[in-house]
Each structure stands twice: as C-alpha cells, then as structure tokens.
Amino acid sequence: MPQQRGGQRVPAAKRETGTHLYIDYTLIFVILFLLAFGLVVLYSASYYEASMDSATGYDPAFYLKKQATWMAAGTAAMLLVAVIPYEKYRRLWFPAYLISLGLVVACLFFDPVNGARRWVKIAGFSLQPAEIVKIVTILMMADMIARFGTAVRSARVWLFMLSFPTVASLLIFGITRNLSSALIVAAIAMGMFFVARQDYLKFILFGAGGVLAATGGVYAVIRMGMQEGANFRFRRIVAWLDPEKYAKSVGYQTVQALYAIGSGGLFGKGLGKSMQKLGYIPEVQNDMIFSIVCEELGIFGAAAIILMFVLLCWRLMAAAANAKDAYGAFLAVGVFCHIAVQVLLNIAVVTNTIPNTGVTLPFISYGGSALIFTMAEMGMVLNVASRVRTADR
C-alpha cells in the first residue's frame, strides 16, 4: 500500500528504508577493463619509440612501467575518494579552486615542455594544473547548484556561478595556451548548468550562436590562408580543411593518423602490427593513440572501445539519477560531462572531424596527471553510487 510523505502519496516500490552499501560492479568492471586495455594498447603503441629514445634508456617498456605506476597511484586515489563521505567535499572546493589557479600561474616559472608551459614539478613529479581545475570545477559547480536550487534559473545567479569556471578557463588559456583544457572546463560547467536549469531552448540558442561564431571564424581563417607567421591555431584550421596539402608540415600528424585508421579496415592488422607507430606518428602514445587502436584492431575494435565509454557514461548517469541528494547527483553529472566531452573531442581530432586540439583519451592515453585525477573522479561517482537509498520490496 502507498505511504504518505510530506502530504504526497509515495508508491511502495519507491519507499526508502535506509542507506545501504551498494557497489556498482558494472562501473567497476568498465573502469578496470579500460585501464587494462589502455596498458595493452599503450605498450603496443609506444614500445618502438621508447626503444629508440635515449631519454627512455632505450627501454621498450618505459611508458608501460610509468603508466602502471600512475595507475597504481590513481587506484589508491579512487579508493580513498570513494570511502570518504562525499558531503565533506563541499567545504573543499573554494580553497582547492584558489590553489588550482595558483598552480596554473606557477606554470610561468617552470621550463616549457615541447614548447608549452603546462606543467609544474612538485617533489619530482610533473603535474598538469589544468587536470586539477577540471575536478575542482565539478566540485564547485555541484555545490553551488545544490545550494542555489531553483535560483540557478535567475540570470544574476547564473552569471555569478559562471564567473568561476570562466576565470579558470581564461587563465588556463592565457598562461598555458592549452585551448582544449580551457574548453573542457567550460564544457563541464555548461553541461552541469544544462542539466540544472532545464530551460533547454536558451542553451540551444546559445549553442547555435556558438556554432555560427565558430563558422564565421573558420571562414575568416580560410580567407587569410596559410600566411607566413600566422597563429599556429589558424594554421591548424587551414590544415584541417585540406590535411594532405600540408602533409609535410602542420598537417603531418593528422595525415599519418588517417593512414593508420584507413589501413586498419574492419578487423585491423592485429595487435602489435601497426606500421604508423614506427616513427610516423609523433608522440603516438598521447593524443593519437586511438588511431593505433583503429589500425591494429580495426573498426570492430574501435567500436568496442567506444561502446565501453558509452557504457561508462550510462553508469555515471545512473549514479546521478539514483543519488540520495542533489549534490551527489551533480557530482556524477559533472564527471559524466568531463568524460563524454573529452572522449568526443579526442576521437573527433583523430578522425579529423575537428581541428587538432591536443586532447588525450581518458584511461588510454599516456599521462600521469590526467589518469590520477580521472581515477579520483571515478572514486567520487562510486562514492555517490554507494550511498543510494534502497527501496522496500
């Protein structure tokens, strides 16, 4: 029989009998699968380059060993975050926000890596502050959305809340010149707003305006052409439209990645049998690793990995839908936005759907900061999922 709660009738199937420990085994399986697959693909993609580089000591397993170490650290971070009640994170976001911005500014005082100032060194570990800003943005937006409630529909509140991720995005772009991370931070905030406000027409109009502005910018760059001394982002846009024309310069990496994808066919050449990883694709273990997946495992393997990411996103939204409070729900929503946007951007770049922006593929690409903080985000979602209230049957 239905029960009464706050003057409303609640179906028996929805009655809450208390919070019980719940473990989302599907989510854990997907995370472990992506981690294991990432190690296999990373070793396959990187062993040749590592064996030819004096900086790695000519060790074919150099990148594999480093990634495995970071994976262990990430797993520890995930477990730690998963067991601390997530309500305690609400008091952390503002000092964490200030610290993360301070670390972004600190990039100015460290030597550039591959021409970019995106890292700081702490106790011998290279840390990318933009990765911290992403997780802090999730914590920050989840807390403010939960506190303001329906007031997020107010233009004044909306602008106030957006000011925080906007400052972070502008600082990341202005100091590190990392446009992709700046866009991801903005996308996380806007995605969480999209779910919170529910006035979708405004977002559709805003998105349409953004597409028109981007189209106008691309058209202006096309009119300028590949001028000498042009901004490297302008050069990337021109090369994106006709990569083969600039295959010996700015379009080289894209063309080689497309060769890898095209030669893989339906089922690929076989694991470890890629040709493009043999010195043709620069830094193949980073942004372009998905092209090696396509070459060695074919469309079938690439589709399988995309399906695993879809399954991951489904479990993230399931955790949000069943969270016991708004704060927990929006933590999961924020992680969903981060993973979904970054996966889409990476695959779009590798397939030349959008200009090259230098986005890594979560769990798969080589990188310590990204892996550790992504695992910490998974810990947050497992934390939220474990606190779901079970219904009386």
Side-chain angles (χ1 to χ4, degrees):
M1 295 293 293
Q3 287 186 342
Q4 296 286 333
R5 183 197 299 165
Q8 294 182 338
R9 294 166 65 85
V10 181
K14 297 291 186 180
R15 291 203 302 267
E16 295 173 348
T17 60
T19 301
H20 299 276
L21 177 63
Y22 172 75
I23 301 176
D24 191 335
Y25 290 106
T26 303
L27 177 57
I28 293 174
F29 167 78
V30 174
I31 293 170
L32 293 177
F33 177 88
L34 288 172
L35 288 172
F37 179 83
L39 283 180
V40 173
V41 174
L42 176 66
Y43 178 68
S44 177
S46 66
Y47 75 84
Y48 175 81
E49 185 172 322
S51 66
M52 302 294 289
D53 189 355
S54 61
T56 65
Y58 304 104
D59 181 5
F62 176 83
Y63 293 109
L64 174 67
K65 294 174 182 176
K66 295 275 284 187
Q67 189 82 341
T69 301
W70 291 328
M71 187 182 297
T75 302
M78 181 180 72
L79 294 175
L80 178 63
V81 172
V83 298
I84 299 174
Y86 64 80
E87 294 87 352
K88 294 185 178 181
Y89 303 148
R90 300 187 73 160
R91 299 191 296 267
L92 299 177
W93 77 257
F94 188 69
Y97 176 77
L98 296 178
I99 292 171
S100 65
L101 296 189
L103 289 172
V104 173
V105 174
C107 290
L108 292 170
F109 303 99
F110 290 86
D111 294 332
V113 178
N114 295 329
R117 295 183 182 274
R118 299 178 182 178
W119 289 267
V120 298
K121 283 194 175 182
I122 301 176
F125 177 72
S126 293
L127 181 69
Q128 195 166 4
E131 298 300 329
I132 303 177
V133 175
K134 292 174 188 176
I135 192 171
V136 169
T137 299
I138 296 170
L139 294 171
M140 172 177 64
M141 297 303 297
D143 180 52
M144 289 196 287
I145 289 172
R147 288 183 187 277
F148 283 110
T150 56
V152 297
R153 299 184 181 183
S154 163
R156 184 175 62 181
V157 172
W158 190 38
L159 291 173
F160 169 75
M161 294 172 64
L162 274 181
S163 64
F164 291 92
T166 299
V167 169
S169 295
L170 291 176
L171 204 60
I172 289 172
F173 177 68
I175 292 178
T176 70
R177 298 299 177 185
N178 190 345
L179 179 61
S180 57
S181 290
L183 290 175
I184 290 170
V185 169
I188 291 170
M190 292 302 295
M192 296 176 74
F193 262 123
F194 179 80
V195 175
R197 285 178 59 99
Q198 298 182 353
D199 46 352
Y200 303 135
L201 179 59
K202 292 181 180 178
F203 282 93
I204 292 172
L205 293 175
F206 182 82
V211 170
L212 288 174
T215 303
V218 170
Y219 178 74
V221 172
I222 293 173
R223 292 293 300 271
M224 291 172 56
M226 190 69 78
Q227 298 179 1
E228 192 69 29
N231 183 287
F232 78 93
R233 289 189 179 85
F234 291 173
R235 294 166 61 84
R236 282 183 173 181
I237 292 174
V238 174
W240 163 60
L241 297 170
D242 191 1
E244 290 191 350
K245 184 177 179 180
Y246 305 99
K248 294 184 179 180
S249 56
V250 69
Y252 176 79
Q253 188 181 43
T254 298
V255 169
Q256 297 301 324
L258 292 175
Y259 286 162
I261 295 170
S263 63
L266 185 60
F267 295 106
K269 296 178 177 179
L271 190 63
K273 296 182 179 180
S274 164
M275 290 295 296
Q276 297 304 112
K277 70 185 179 186
L278 304 180
Y280 292 101
I281 302 179
E283 301 288 336
V284 67
Q285 71 276 6
N286 295 327
D287 308 340
M288 292 293 173
I289 197 168
F290 186 72
S291 65
I292 304 303
V293 174
C294 295
E295 185 180 8
E296 296 190 345
L297 303 178
I299 295 174
F300 179 81
I305 292 305
I306 292 173
L307 182 62
M308 293 305 295
F309 278 115
V310 171
L311 184 58
L312 174 64
C313 289
W314 168 57
R315 295 316 304 164
L316 297 179
M317 290 309 294
N322 294 286
K324 73 183 185 70
D325 56 23
Y327 177 64
F330 279 98
L331 284 177
V333 168
V335 176
F336 165 83
C337 292
H338 176 203
I339 298 298
V341 168
Q342 192 149 333
V343 170
L344 286 173
L345 285 178
N346 178 269
I347 295 176
V349 166
V350 173
T351 57
N352 200 41
T353 306
I354 63 174
N356 196 325
T357 59
V359 183
T360 58
L361 186 62
F363 301 102
I364 311 296
S365 294
Y366 175 75
S369 299
L371 181 59
I372 290 172
F373 287 105
T374 299
M375 293 290 286
E377 290 179 16
M378 295 301 108
M380 287 197 306
V381 178
L382 288 171
N383 197 328
V384 172
S386 70
R387 307 285 294 284
V388 171
R389 289 185 180 274
T390 56
D392 184 16
R393 297 293 181 186

